[in-house]
């Protein structure tokens, strides 16, 4: 309590200028400490969204204000920043509200149709909505930053010759350093062709931001080798490589055999039709199709025969060729003299014909070229030293035979196989050193935070003990000095007098004080004197 009273008396004894200076210094230090504390507590801002349209930016800012989330813009104004610990949460919350919608208009255009809208305007809005929805779908790809779609939809016609197919043009802006492979490009093409009625895939053109054509080109009406076919070839080659290495590895050890295969695949679609006739067969084994016999008789001295009358004067009956001659014909032949007998017989058999229609499979293997390299065998001698030696001829023959069986070697399709035994020249890879603790990202982040708070504490201590405390001491010393100077000014010779002189000076001073009191308050002095006399 004594120290507090002394401090209070000291502060009360300061002059006006000294008190004002001390108050200003303390206020400045407090403001500086508060600013440093706020800087230490200020969150780190990160990008929430960039390149927002004005409509989406206003809607997002309104939502952030409702959620009491602080935000700010980057220097160029192209990005919206929020505290780093709330970036993912805000993205999820804004996504639940359908933000950002993007500058592309989709089928929400059809929700605000006004009464009395013309058919042409409805068609234009539908086309705009379809283009916007397709662009939004393509922007969901990780490589695509933004997309624009232009559709050319011809007017329908009742005449078949005047009907035109729709077409589409797509402009993609890819993220820096990102590319699209042929499979993804074909996926975009088929996405658009499947979304627009009667649009063939060949009518879709895709270009990137630099104007490079990404859609597959056509040559002579034939499509080039697409990604699925290339993937099929690579899959076949990898399957054969795995077969060879799996069957040889148990013999030579892991990482001691490597194989490479080049597969020649035929993707042509071929159909064949063959008609084969067998040579003449034995008639007894053939199937009779038809048989025809003809017999005729001509004579120069034919005698009359038969019953005279009308029946004998009739024209002759047309000749027939039955398989078995009737009895009447035999009787007629026997009555002929000097006659010529002519017989013809025609026999038709079924033709043995074979018709075959063959459709060759697509993707059949035309030829395989296989190269296999096998490492030398390693051994350890009696001294513990390791070395290597080549394989024997019998071992190489065994490996070659196994590889032929594994690959399905076919000499008729000109397959080739080359097995090489050699020492591998493998460089020893040094083990990757572990990242030290002081280089790990988590430790670095923690160290930054600790250093920040230590810096704030150090500056605060410096201001307290290096600025405030010396200044307070200076104020105290100045106050004591002023008091001493004022006391010396009021009693300039007191410290120079002796003890007797100081006593006499004190008595004189008291006497003067009593005289002044008797003059000012005579009643009090009279009362005191009366008390003295009565005693």
């Amino acid at each position: 309590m004594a120290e507090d009273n002394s401090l209070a008396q000291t502060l009360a004894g300061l002059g006006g200028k000294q008190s004002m200076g001390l108050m200003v210094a303390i206020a400045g230090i407090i403001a500086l400490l508060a600013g440093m504390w706020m800087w230490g507590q200020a969150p780190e801002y990160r990008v929430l969204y960039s390149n927002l349209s004005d409509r989406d930016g206003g809607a997002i800012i309104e939502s952030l204000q409702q959620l009491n989330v602080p935000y700010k813009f980057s220097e160029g104004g192209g990005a919206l920043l929020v505290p780093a610990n709330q970036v993912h949460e805000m993205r999820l919350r804004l996504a639940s509200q359908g933000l950002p919608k993007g500058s592309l208009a989709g089928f929400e255009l059809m929700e605000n149709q006004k009464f009395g809208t013309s058919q042409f305007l409805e068609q234009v809005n539908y086309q705009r909505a379809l283009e916007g929805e397709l662009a939004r779908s393509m922007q969901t790809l990780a490589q695509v930053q933004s997309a624009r779609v232009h559709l050319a939809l011809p007017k329908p016609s009742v005449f078949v010759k005047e009907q035109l197919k729709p077409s589409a043009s797509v402009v993609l802006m890819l993220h820096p350093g990102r590319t699209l492979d042929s499979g993804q490009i074909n996926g975009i093409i088929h996405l658009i062709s499947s979304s627009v009625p009667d649009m063939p895939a060949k009518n879709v053109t895709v270009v990137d931001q630099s104007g490079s054509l990404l859609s597959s080109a056509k040559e002579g009406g034939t499509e080039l080798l697409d990604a699925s076919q290339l993937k099929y070839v690579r899959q076949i080659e990898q399957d054969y490589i795995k077969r060879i290495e799996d069957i040889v590895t148990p013999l030579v050890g892991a990482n001691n055999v490597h194989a490479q295969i080049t597969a020649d695949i035929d993707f042509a679609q071929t159909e064949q039709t063959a008609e084969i006739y067998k040579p003449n067969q034995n008639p007894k084994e053939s199937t009779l199709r038809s048989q025809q016999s003809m017999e005729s008789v001509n004579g120069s001295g034919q005698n009359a025969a038969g019953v005279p009358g009308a029946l004998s004067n009739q024209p002759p009956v047309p000749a027939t060729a039955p398989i078995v001659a009737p009895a009447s014909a035999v009787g007629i032949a026997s009555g002929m003299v000097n006659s010529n007998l002519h017989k013809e017989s025609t026999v038709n058999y079924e033709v043995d014909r074979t018709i075959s229609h063959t459709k060759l499979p697509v993707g059949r293997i035309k030829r395989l070229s296989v190269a296999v390299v096998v490492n030398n065998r390693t051994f350890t001698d009696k001294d513990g030293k390791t070395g290597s030696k080549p394989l024997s001829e019998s071992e190489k023959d065994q490996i070659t035979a196994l590889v032929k069986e594994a690959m399905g070697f076919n000499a008729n399709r000109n397959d080739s196989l080359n097995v090489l035994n050699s020492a591998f020249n493998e460089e020893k890879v040094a083990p990757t050193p572990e990242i030290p603790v002081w280089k790990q990202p988590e430790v670095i982040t923690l160290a930054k935070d600790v250093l920040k708070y230590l810096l704030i504490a150090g500056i605060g201590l410096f201001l307290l003990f290096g600025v405030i405390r010396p200044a307070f001491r200076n104020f105290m010393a100045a106050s004591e000095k002023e008091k001493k100077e004022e006391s010396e000014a009021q009693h300039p010779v007191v410290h120079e007098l002796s003890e007797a002189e100081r006593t006499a000076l004190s008595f004189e001073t008291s006497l003067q004080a009593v005289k002044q009191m008797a003059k000012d308050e005579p009643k009090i002095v009279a009362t005191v004197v009366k008390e003295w006399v009565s005693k």
Side-chain angles (χ1 to χ4, degrees), residues 251-271:
L251 299 179
V252 297
N255 300 325
N256 288 323
V257 57
H258 297 288
Q260 289 296 327
I261 293 181
T262 301
D264 187 5
I265 308 298
D266 185 11
F267 290 101
Q269 297 181 357
T270 306
E271 295 183 7

Side-chain angles (χ1 to χ4, degrees), residues 224-298:
L224 300 177
L225 198 64
D226 57 11
S228 60
Q229 294 175 348
L230 292 174
K231 183 178 179 181
Y232 177 73
V233 174
R234 297 291 180 268
Q235 185 65 38
I236 289 180
E237 294 175 349
Q238 293 299 324
D239 289 344
Y240 277 105
I241 291 173
K242 188 176 184 302
R243 289 182 186 178
I244 294 172
E245 292 182 351
D246 287 347
I247 199 171
V248 179
T249 297
L251 299 179
V252 297
N255 300 325
N256 288 323
V257 57
H258 297 288
Q260 289 296 327
I261 293 181
T262 301
D264 187 5
I265 308 298
D266 185 11
F267 290 101
Q269 297 181 357
T270 306
E271 295 183 7
Q272 296 177 353
T273 302
E275 187 173 355
I276 303 174
Y277 295 90
K278 291 185 177 180
N280 295 333
Q281 298 179 354
N282 187 359
K284 295 182 179 180
E285 299 178 357
S286 302
T287 303
L288 182 63
R289 181 178 184 182
S290 64
Q291 182 178 2
Q292 182 179 3
S293 299
M294 184 181 65
E295 185 175 343
S296 62
V297 179
N298 294 324

Side-chain angles (χ1 to χ4, degrees), residues 376-394:
N376 290 342
R377 288 193 179 275
T378 58
F379 64 91
T380 305
D381 57 10
K382 297 180 180 179
D383 298 333
K385 296 182 179 179
T386 59
S388 63
K389 62 180 180 180
L391 301 176
S392 62
E393 292 297 328
S394 60

Side-chain angles (χ1 to χ4, degrees), residues 43-46 82-88:
E44 181 183 359
Y45 281 81
R46 291 185 180 178
V82 296
N85 57 350
Q86 296 182 347
V87 170
H88 301 291

Side-chain angles (χ1 to χ4, degrees), residues 47-87:
V47 177
L48 179 65
Y49 293 110
S50 60
N51 298 324
L52 290 171
S53 62
D54 295 339
R55 180 181 301 175
D56 285 341
I60 291 175
I61 289 176
E62 184 179 357
S63 298
L64 293 178
Q65 291 176 349
Q66 293 177 356
L67 296 173
N68 294 325
V69 177
Y71 64 90
K72 63 180 181 178
F73 296 95
S74 61
E75 295 181 359
L80 181 63
L81 309 178
V82 296
N85 57 350
Q86 296 182 347
V87 170

